[in-house]
Amino acid sequence: MKNLLLTIIITCLASCSGQKQKYEYPFRNPRLTVEERTADLISRLTIEEKASMMLYNSKPIERLGIPAYNWWNEALHGVARAGRATVFPQAIGLAATFDEQLVQEVASVISDEGRAKHNEAVKAGNRGQYLGLTYWTPNINIFRDPRWGRGQETYGEDPWLTGRMGLAFVKGLQGNDPRYLKTAAAAKHFAVHSGPEATRHEFNAEVNDYDLYNTYLPAFKTLVDGGVAGVMCAYNRLDGEPCCASPELLTEILRNRWGFTGYIVTDCWALQDMITHHKVVGTAAGAAALAINNSVNINCGVVYRKIPEAFFTGLVTEKEVDDALAGGLKILFRLGWFDEVDETPWRNLGNKDIATVKSKALARTTAAGSMVLLKNNGVLPLKKDLRNIYVTGPNAAAMEPLWSNYNGFSSELVTVLEGITGKVSPHTAISYNPGCGLVNDTLFRGTWLINDSETIIAVMGLNSLLEGEAGDAWLSEYGGDRKDIGLPENQVKYIKKLAERGKPLIVVVMAGSAVSLSEIEPYADAILYAWYPGEQGGNAVADILFGDSNPAGGEKKVEFSIPVTQLRFWDPLQGKYAIGTGEYSFFAAKNSADESVEIRVVMK
Amino acid sequence: MKNLLLTIIITCLASCSGQKQKYEYPFRNPRLTVEERTADLISRLTIEEKASMMLYNSKPIERLGIPAYNWWNEALHGVARAGRATVFPQAIGLAATFDEQLVQEVASVISDEGRAKHNEAVKAGNRGQYLGLTYWTPNINIFRDPRWGRGQETYGEDPWLTGRMGLAFVKGLQGNDPRYLKTAAAAKHFAVHSGPEATRHEFNAEVNDYDLYNTYLPAFKTLVDGGVAGVMCAYNRLDGEPCCASPELLTEILRNRWGFTGYIVTDCWALQDMITHHKVVGTAAGAAALAINNSVNINCGVVYRKIPEAFFTGLVTEKEVDDALAGGLKILFRLGWFDEVDETPWRNLGNKDIATVKSKALARTTAAGSMVLLKNNGVLPLKKDLRNIYVTGPNAAAMEPLWSNYNGFSSELVTVLEGITGKVSPHTAISYNPGCGLVNDTLFRGTWLINDSETIIAVMGLNSLLEGEAGDAWLSEYGGDRKDIGLPENQVKYIKKLAERGKPLIVVVMAGSAVSLSEIEPYADAILYAWYPGEQGGNAVADILFGDSNPAGGEKKVEFSIPVTQLRFWDPLQGKYAIGTGEYSFFAAKNSADESVEIRVVMK
């Protein structure tokens, strides 16, 4: 009986998986190897078709039954730019959990949603941007200058932590199926890309070898060793060479020394920068040839349209083109994208698997685990049956700081005001007034509502219009970056004004980068650093303020001491290394996954 | 058997209701009449205690076992200022449903939540403000000048509709129990109180008899006839007499002619206005006497603290004080508030009955029923599987316009961005950018996201910081009011800029008053007037835009025609009556409750 059952299953598997099916072309046959299928497909393409398939928005090739594919997709802290998705805390907050298992779980939910969206889109005949399976995530650049607008996208300033978090995220995105990639991750931006935003298309990063190999490259090496499918080359130059055409970075280090066999994709319109800004080449055909000769597989931009011209004028050989093309195609084969019948374990994921009750619960615990309690003179936790709470500040009822950048949207975003509303007793009065804007409008009116309140909760900070990527953060003072790390002056004034009322004052700071709180610290009874906390951010803040969640920032604190004079660290304000001889605080955090101990040093 | 059962029930009722219980004082005995109990209680009070019980925040009288009671509570479109509650559309939107039954149902849910909050508060020993059972709701003033900031709190410009809506709301708040008031409603502000906000504490309203009796008083008469428990006298003077001490308004019309037996409460600090602004009396004791002599029962303010002084100096007799006191006490007796055991049908309401799935569903259908589709060239309804939607405008992801003013808070407020996110297919991309501020910051950056979008949804309008009550709407140009009825100029510019992109442009307007859309109308393919739509506003907007709900504004349209020259109407721009000889549109709406027909005239 057991044998019979087994036979039936085997028969079904063989039938379901189409082993007996006949394919028009060998590249369609899922029983062949990726290499065999890639070679077969390439052999059938014209040079123009090859060029098209090396562009991020490759066109359909109808004679071979190949649909369009758009490589550009994002999943920084949730499937991004594709509508509804679970919005997890911004990357900098994920790093603050110090919890690799949690971050991998988050990325696994994200790739579930990514597969689900892809399946639904394909069913609907929608092959548009942000619906593919190739994510240009994570951003493992080093957050060296705290004013960098995109620092929020990274895992912080620590090369080791960045590698651990990045690898956990990649594992979650790519899954552990022996045959298929769940989705394809890409580590970016390779390399030494840490701002400033305003000059990113033209600057030349100059770093010494110590810094290059100890600060900027280790996380990339960790992810390559861990099997990341892609690497995105950066806009900037490194030691004079544009990163997307750097023999040292791409050929010598990435391909030869590290043995990277995945695909390299240009940052968007980075090859155009080589012509316009770096001025290392005069034509698009020349730029395409430069990139291909450094094994760049996929071009986000339009320069690879000139591959035929580069070929016909002898700038590249067809073999070179084929090799570069193969790198991209192999990823699509590994994703199962060329298979006529979806045999992946994720074929049944669909709308029901997007933004689920479970994924929202994970977003909430992750957000709570990311937040850091910087000060508490004993005012926390708050009682849930307070008579009257005054909720104020420009971020208290604001949505932008929840989703930050590179984000999807939720139909159930929870602001701090909503989180508190859901947390307190049915007879707790809540008053709300924004009080002031993010950077202007210091408006103290409406504060008469404070008279009756027992506690003030002020939600301050920044949002992704003030700090972020060039072009996105259009309220930034400096192309996406900040000019200094202070809390905006009007917010400082407002906190001081609130403190005059003599009520317990709890300050929640939402930001993606380090914000100096020294000016307001003496006035606040408690300060919670909430990052950009995702769709459940308001619930997570309420969980912590009212004692339902422990604001450990994911840390398991251990006893720790070290002589100060032995410390060498980067001082972002001085812009140089310093020896720690001043007054510093030390935080030690034990990683739950591998028992390793993280050390963070904070200026007092 | 039937007789036996009946006997048991009667025994139980007698026992449960405490008929056999002995009461220390007759006023505690729920089997006596309200009149008997009121007389007994008054006979036991000192003049100081009487004064205290005529103040809105009456102190406990411990020797009689009477706890504190705060009369001030609000429920304009949901239990207000008491934390968590279902937030229904603002009153002006409720009126736009033209649906009495629906409005009564809404008010009934509100009074459920009010009783539930009161029960929970009493259990917790919380006798604070906004937790009592006496609501200073509805606002049935006439919205004559569309710039009035508090016009949003009213049921509009029509005396008849105002009466119908106000009465439906009162019925819902007060319930139909033969013995108890569910909660006590109060019609405000009596009378001829329609702005401007900036001078409300000092202005003298002068109206002719025609206007007084045909425009300003009918709704009050309707609510008095319908049994409203309270009337709030207004800040302003009417024909020289302060409304809270007007023999004509309070004694002659309200008490004598209309036979009003409920309680009269002053608007807050209105008696102080009689001294400071109207200057009709020099001292607080004198102001108290003036009000008492015009049968004002409850004082929101502090002037009634001087009742003992007024009594001892002969300005009022004890009989006059007792009569005024009785009017307030009777309401508390009718609410069951003095009963030691809660015998009301609402005694088991509690936390579980606040903000329920059902109440949120009602908030959603009510919001959808309130919205008015002003234009649709065929672009609506939208398909749910659009590839890419661009959501923009200062109200698209904003919370303030959902709750407007005199509001509670929800833990699940739904912005338009969230509503759309929840509505579209899993492969519909959503881009969002606020685009511009409400009144400044015409920022057109970020509009590159429009390139890929198939449809633009721009959510424009005002919020309750721009229009509202004096002191609250602190971004208003004129003490809470607007200076003109135009859409803010920067928003007009932004709409024109958006229209240049040649994509279908749908404009949603959130506002509490009439906003002239003539400047943007030619640029929009569809315009939806959404009022301030409450916590489910975003879902309701999405329901309408995507065809799941019919944007009828509650109207059942009927054929209708009338010769133009027969029309006489108030022209708010001219500030006088006009004979309709120009070009006008006519809307006729059939009321579902009584089949009566409403006619609205709109200038073309």
Side-chain angles (χ1 to χ4, degrees), chain B residues 178-189:
Chain B
R179 190 170 160 203
Y180 290 109
L181 284 172
K182 190 177 179 189
T183 65
K188 70 189 183 189
H189 311 81

Side-chain angles (χ1 to χ4, degrees), chain A residues 67-96:
Chain A
Y69 185 76
N70 196 307
W71 286 77
W72 191 348
N73 207 346
E74 306 282 352
L76 184 60
H77 55 112
V79 178
R81 302 180 177 177
R84 185 165 63 252
T86 306
V87 184
F88 291 96
Q90 177 61 296
I92 191 79
L94 292 177

Side-chain angles (χ1 to χ4, degrees), chain A residues 83-84 117 124-126 387 397 399-400 403 409 411 413 418 421 424 426-428 430 432-433 443 448 472 474, chain B residues 83-84 117 124-126 387 397 399-400 403 409 411 413 418 421 424 426-428 430 432-433 443 448 472 474:
Chain A
R84 185 165 63 252
K117 279 179 175 285
N126 185 347
R387 295 202 168 202
M399 307 221 128
E400 279 86 354
W403 63 57
F409 290 109
S411 63
L413 290 147
E418 290 172 287
T421 299
V424 295
H427 50 88
T428 298
I430 301 166
Y432 163 76
N433 192 310
L443 299 158
W448 59 273
D472 280 350
W474 40 270
Chain B
R84 183 165 64 251
K117 279 179 174 285
N126 184 347
R387 295 204 169 202
M399 307 221 126
E400 280 86 355
W403 63 58
F409 289 109
S411 62
L413 291 147
E418 290 171 289
T421 299
V424 295
H427 50 89
T428 299
I430 301 166
Y432 163 76
N433 192 308
L443 299 158
W448 58 273
D472 280 350
W474 39 267

